[in-house]
Amino acid sequence: MASPARWSHVWVGAETGALKGVNLQRKQATNYTSAGSLSRAQGICALCWGDAAESEVLVGCLDGAVKRFSTEKGKFTETRLCPGGQGPFCGLAVHGSALITCVESGLLKVWCEDDAENLELQAGAGLCRMRQDPARPQRVATGGRDNGLKVWDLQRPGEPLFRAKNVRNDWLNLHVPIWDRDLQFLPGSDKIVTCTGHHQVRLYDPSSPQRRPVLETTFGEHPLTALSLAPGADSVVVGSARGDLAVIDLRQGRLLRCLKGIAGGVRGLQCHPSRPLVASCGLDRFLRIHRLGDQRPRHKVYLKSRLNCLLLSSRQDWEAPAAPSPAADRDGDEDGDEDAADADADALWAAMEPVPLPAPPGRRPAKRKSPGP
């Protein structure tokens, strides 16, 4: 019998090491990590699909382990230690049967299944993100703090295919700092969009003669921490460290709309490949699903732990009848439960008898008049 895990729409990784699957039709979240394995030293910092059928989830942990979770069996089936470099994983990917990992110190490594020698390359210290080109899996892009955008071909790893050039000095002739926090390839072209810790959104075109951005815009005043391309690749959704979420047009560089309802910094962000939906998570412990045309979230699930990353299923049956109820305990709450709890609390406070405040110091309390006959 197939596990209820295969009905999950979103997978979320927490600071505590918990991997949670969220079924939005049943408004339910399930923790698939045993209580004895929960540890901040094994906090989840990266997620990716292990195969094209989305039957496996690869989980990157702070201790350098990559775990393989089967959505068909509903359990972890393999753990692989990936030593080397320093810092947490800033990206995971799969190329054929090989696993691609990248850590903050800049070590990018391809782990082969057979006895072939593993490939290593140094992408530079201070990395924040590594992403794979979906159309050409042998290509990856990296970027970080004081480490500009680079595109690598893993079949020819000697030198990067493209190395971005920083923008010109500002009006005071001062160097503009580099801090690429997230990036993504645009489908059907060589273009790459990035967001920076200095609230900039930039579009690069490696096929053009110039290595500087072909489009640049800014949003807000706080560091941008995550981005994801909307369906159609004409716009991008960005999230900030303050909890701002916005949709930006990549053709004109203008703000289309802001998405509301987030109370903490955004750490994970992903758009559905074909539906106008975007999932976000972060420090406020909530998973939210927005429609790109609506400001308010359509789904909101409380997941108890601070969240680092998420993985959104590409399945189309979001409105299909609910799946059979899983045997696991419920681990999430929807807005309806929160509203009912708030209403009960309001009724409790309204039923309490008010207590008079004490008189200020130096003043005698007023004498209470005795009731008349």
Side-chain angles (χ1 to χ4, degrees), residues 128-206:
C128 295
R129 187 68 70 197
M130 181 274 290
R131 294 271 193 183
Q132 185 181 37
D133 186 350
R136 291 162 290 191
Q138 75 277 10
R139 291 191 180 186
V140 296
T142 60
R145 191 162 197 167
D146 296 326
N147 190 343
L149 173 68
K150 301 183 186 71
V151 180
W152 303 84
D153 188 339
L154 298 179
Q155 297 176 350
R156 295 174 294 171
E159 287 292 327
L161 296 177
F162 172 77
R163 190 191 301 267
K165 190 175 182 179
N166 194 17
V167 297
R168 293 181 175 86
N169 292 351
D170 61 12
W171 63 283
L172 290 174
N173 200 28
L174 297 177
H175 170 76
V176 178
I178 299 172
W179 192 6
D180 291 330
R181 296 293 299 269
D182 203 353
L183 55 94
Q184 196 164 353
F185 288 88
L186 271 67
S189 70
D190 292 330
K191 295 179 181 178
I192 303 168
V193 60
T194 69
C195 68
T196 76
H198 303 290
H199 58 89
Q200 300 147 336
V201 177
R202 293 170 173 169
L203 182 66
Y204 294 87
D205 187 0

Side-chain angles (χ1 to χ4, degrees), residues 82-102:
C82 300
Q86 296 178 350
F89 290 114
C90 57
L92 287 180
V94 175
H95 183 204
S97 61
L99 171 67
I100 306 172
T101 64
C102 187

Side-chain angles (χ1 to χ4, degrees), residues 270-284:
Q270 187 177 349
C271 292
H272 193 277
S274 58
R275 299 177 65 91
L277 300 170
V278 58
S280 61
C281 68
L283 297 180
D284 64 354

Side-chain angles (χ1 to χ4, degrees), residues 218-236:
T218 59
F219 168 69
E221 298 179 354
H222 300 273
L224 300 180
T225 55
L227 68 78
S228 182
L229 281 172
D234 292 331
S235 58
V236 64

